[in-house]
């Protein structure tokens, strides 16, 4: 760090809740991030679909907004994708990786459905593809399974990975609200999308456990492999029965290894489970996420925190951006 | 990965409980580790003080043992130090870093007291110095504060970082044992050293919070900076008072930032604290460790698991070895 480093150019695709939070923090934490990376981070542009829409981006120059993502990507060291959806995100990230950029994304459906292909391309081009924010926001489980536990043999993963359904189930369990009232309340508070199918049917949780399973065991796992059951078929009768025995119903995503460590077979499931009241997963409150990872050597490790929200998700994205930028600096020498 | 990679030479310094577990797993998980690294790991030798002492190293060729650590270091890509103590560990790791080896250590007193100097040397020689196992065994808090949260602003860290004292306090709180009886029982079960001062006076926890604070904020923090109070002065009266109000006494290590994120001042403390019964730290049982990290964007993140033991500590060491070996492979291209 004895000579001044030229800036790392960071291109942002998407300026929704998470994108806006990432852009704001890139400015607000500029000196801090520069000291951690060893070079300044320069936001080279923000690609949006509709340039005329008003944005909540205090401190971010309006001239950075563009509706031409390809131009941004071609000049970037690090491409950060926060648009969501499969296309055009998939095409744009393929272009970024082929051009030799480091890629960071929070796009869980993209990584669940096309992650294996994108990871193979990243490996071929010797660049990083990081997606910590795609699972449990800032709860750092992706890095943990890919790096911290890379010397261990992970045997199973169980998690509460969808904050919306946990909020509903927690209101029923702890406040005695009826299931229907709890769903209405979650909708009013913005915990459910206008179309809540992805949450209630376990599709969101399924994408996240598919991502974790592939990251943990390095084998192909597809959305269709998930034995999936949501919470929409539950009734107050189920909740009364659980309560009567001191249990709590949670929507639990699980992945476990059969076969050998060297030649693993992986099974994945998302379903409502009745848990003992003092189970670490049962203690997950409101919109929180909890993940338990069991390994041959480390035993059971537990992780918990906010599973969604603009700022927590931005924290995970920025952690990946710092890692990507450090790789760019290391590659310059 | 299209061409065969020559092996990564791993030198092990120390063959105690953790060293033996690391050596065994390097053999048992050889193919798995090779696939994760992209090159085979070759244990090039194990340095021990006394060659005549019998070792529990099934599957490990006896010819690998040596009492000449310098020779091992000079031919190694990755040096793993599991001897403990300040010297000769400090001198040997200095030699390893100066020679351009990646270094992994589980030595908490060394990293707490001389970590800043060793990290500066590692940065100068552009090699890695990793020490996940020095704090909370396989609970991956060091990597989390150095990498996952590198884009965030950590405001405080609180943790139960000493399993031995937690075991004692948990027996008093949950089984109603007297403080004296609980100490005796912990000694019988091997949870306390022959000289239990390091645990009971909070010196072990102090070293760990010093390491976390420096990793989180990148500022010099010394053992002398810790406001430290152990549990040896507690009496049954303290425990009865806590119990009467539904509280639990725990030995809590804390670090918090004052000043600004760019120019942080850090304060560190270890002391017995009376906590509400449902506090995440209060729920730590037996020899477990729990760490809560609060940041500006992510909110409170919680981590828990076994805080000690040969296998959990080996898991953390091997995670660092894989990361170090991946750097060696990346540097070859």
């Amino acid at each position: 760090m004895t000579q001044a480093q030229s800036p790392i150019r960071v291109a942002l695709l998407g300026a929704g809740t998470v994108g806006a939070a990432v852009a704001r923090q890139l400015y607000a934490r500029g000196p801090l991030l520069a000291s951690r990376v060893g070079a300044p981070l320069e936001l080279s542009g923000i690609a949006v679909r509709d340039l005329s829409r008003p944005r909540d981006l205090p401190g971010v120059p309006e001239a950075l907004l563009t509706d031409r993502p390809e131009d941004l990507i071609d000049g970037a060291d690090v491409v950060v994708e926060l648009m969501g959806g499969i296309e055009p995100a998939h095409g744009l990230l393929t272009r970024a990786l082929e051009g030799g950029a480091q890629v960071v994304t929070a796009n869980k459906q993209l990584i669940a459905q096309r992650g294996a292909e994108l990871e193979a391309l990243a490996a071929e081009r010797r660049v990083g593809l990081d997606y910590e924010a795609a699972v449990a926001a800032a709860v750092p489980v992706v890095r943990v399974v890919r790096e911290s536990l890379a010397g261990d043999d992970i045997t199973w993963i169980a998690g509460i990975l969808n904050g919306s359904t946990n909020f509903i189930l927690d209101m029923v369990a702890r406040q005695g609200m009826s299931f229907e009232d709890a769903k209405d309340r979650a909708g009013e508070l913005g915990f459910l999308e206008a179309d809540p199918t992805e949450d209630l049917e376990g599709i969101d949780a399924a994408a996240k456990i598919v991502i974790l399973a592939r990251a943990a065991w390095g084998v192909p796992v597809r959305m269709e492999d998930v034995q999936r059951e949501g919470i929409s078929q539950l009734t107050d009768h189920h909740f009364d029965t659980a309560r009567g025995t001191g249990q709590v119903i949670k929507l639990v995503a699980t992945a476990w290894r059969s076969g050998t460590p060297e030649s693993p077979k992986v099974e994945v499931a998302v379903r409502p489970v009745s848990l003992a009241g003092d189970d670490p997963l049962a203690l997950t409150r409101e919109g929180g996420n909890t993940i338990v990872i069991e390994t041959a050597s480390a035993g059971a490790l537990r992780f918990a925190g906010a599973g969604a929200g603009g700022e927590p998700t931005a924290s995970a994205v920025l952690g990946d951006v710092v890692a990507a930028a450090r790789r760019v600096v290391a590659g310059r020498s």
Side-chain angles (χ1 to χ4, degrees), chain A residues 68-85:
Chain A
R68 297 175 57 168
E70 291 85 357
D71 296 355
L72 259 193
I73 288 169
D74 294 347
D77 297 306
V78 180
V79 173
V80 183
E81 186 270 311
L82 305 168
M83 316 165 76

Side-chain angles (χ1 to χ4, degrees), chain A residues 93-287:
Chain A
L93 292 192
T94 300
R95 183 187 185 108
L97 293 168
E98 282 180 342
Q102 309 287 330
V103 166
V104 173
T105 176
N107 190 328
K108 61 180 174 281
Q109 290 299 348
L110 177 62
I111 294 297
Q113 293 177 41
R114 310 294 290 268
E117 167 203 332
L118 292 170
E119 286 193 320
L121 180 56
E124 184 193 313
R125 299 301 161 112
R126 295 172 162 278
V127 293
L129 170 64
D130 290 315
Y131 46 87
E132 184 63 70
V135 182
V139 186
V141 283
V142 173
R143 185 173 267 102
V144 165
V145 299
R146 291 173 93 189
E147 299 181 24
S148 302
L149 297 175
D152 207 331
D153 166 25
I154 299 173
T155 50
W156 62 263
I157 301 172
I160 296 198
L161 297 174
N162 180 269
S164 307
T165 47
N166 195 68
F167 186 87
I168 294 168
L169 297 173
D170 189 39
M171 298 237 284
V172 174
R174 283 199 305 136
Q175 305 194 16
M177 205 177 267
S178 79
F179 186 43
E180 286 305 317
D181 286 352
K183 276 192 283 189
D184 291 347
R185 188 96 183 93
E188 285 161 27
L189 291 170
F191 270 95
L192 282 176
E193 305 290 326
D195 174 8
T197 312
E198 284 222 351
D199 294 322
L200 296 181
E201 299 303 337
I203 299 167
D204 174 85
K208 292 165 177 171
I209 197 70
V210 161
I211 293 170
L212 282 183
R214 199 176 51 231
W217 291 290
V219 294
V221 186
R222 298 164 309 160
M223 286 296 282
E224 309 88 87
D225 297 329
V226 183
Q227 303 163 43
R228 179 171 56 79
E229 183 187 335
I231 65 167
S232 59
Q233 304 301 313
L234 294 177
T235 64
D236 285 326
H237 173 71
H238 293 101
F239 294 106
D240 291 342
T241 306
R243 197 178 289 119
T245 57
Q247 296 203 307
V248 179
I249 294 176
K250 294 289 190 186
L251 183 64
V252 179
T254 322
W256 64 101
R257 172 179 69 65
S258 56
T260 63
E262 293 79 19
S263 183
K265 286 177 189 165
V266 175
E267 300 191 59
V268 276
V270 173
R271 56 170 75 104
V273 178
S274 201
L275 299 167
D278 64 350
D279 185 286
L281 296 181
L283 299 171
T284 311
R285 295 191 171 177
E286 301 182 354

